[in-house]
Amino acid sequence: MGWLRLAFFMYVGLTIIYFVTGIYSRSVRREKLEKEWDTDPAREGLTVQERSAFIEAGMVHYDKGLKKRLLWLIYIIPTVAFLATIYFVNWY
C-alpha cells in the first residue's frame, strides 16, 4: 500500500508542475506575440484594441495547438516509468 501513497504524492507534485509549466508556457507565448506586434512596422498606426485582438487570436491558436497538448507528457512519462518500475521490481 505504500506505492499508493507514493503515487498520490507523485500526482500532487506533477499537478503543481503541470500548472506552473502551463502558466509559464502561456506567458512566453503571449510575450512572443506582443513582441511580434511591436516589431512589425506595418502595424504602427493600429489601435490598442486591434493589438489585443491579435494577441487573443494568437492565444486561442496556442490553446488548440500541439505545444499545449504536449504538456500532458508531464503526467504520461512519469506514470509509465512508475508502472514499469513496479512491474519489473515485483514480477519480472
Side-chain angles (χ1 to χ4, degrees):
M1 294 313 276
W3 63 274
L4 285 175
R5 190 175 331 126
L6 177 63
F8 173 77
F9 286 114
M10 178 181 79
Y11 280 110
V12 168
L14 290 175
T15 301
I16 292 169
I17 292 169
Y18 175 81
F19 282 118
V20 169
T21 305
I23 291 169
Y24 175 74
S25 180
R26 284 185 57 84
S27 170
V28 168
R29 180 64 182 154
R30 181 176 291 277
E31 185 175 334
K32 184 178 177 183
L33 289 168
E34 289 172 352
K35 285 182 181 179
E36 181 182 335
W37 178 272
D38 293 339
T39 58
D40 190 1
R43 295 186 176 121
E44 235 170 77
L46 300 176
T47 65
V48 174
Q49 290 83 10
E50 291 170 321
R51 181 179 190 264
S52 296
F54 171 77
I55 292 170
E56 289 306 314
M59 293 307 293
V60 167
H61 186 276
Y62 168 79
D63 286 337
K64 295 179 183 177
L66 180 63
K67 285 186 180 182
K68 177 76 173 179
R69 285 186 258 148
L70 285 177
L71 286 176
W72 285 104
L73 290 175
I74 291 173
Y75 286 111
I76 294 168
I77 292 173
T79 300
V80 169
F82 183 72
L83 293 175
T85 301
I86 289 174
Y87 174 75
F88 285 118
V89 166
N90 291 313
W91 293 287
Y92 190 65

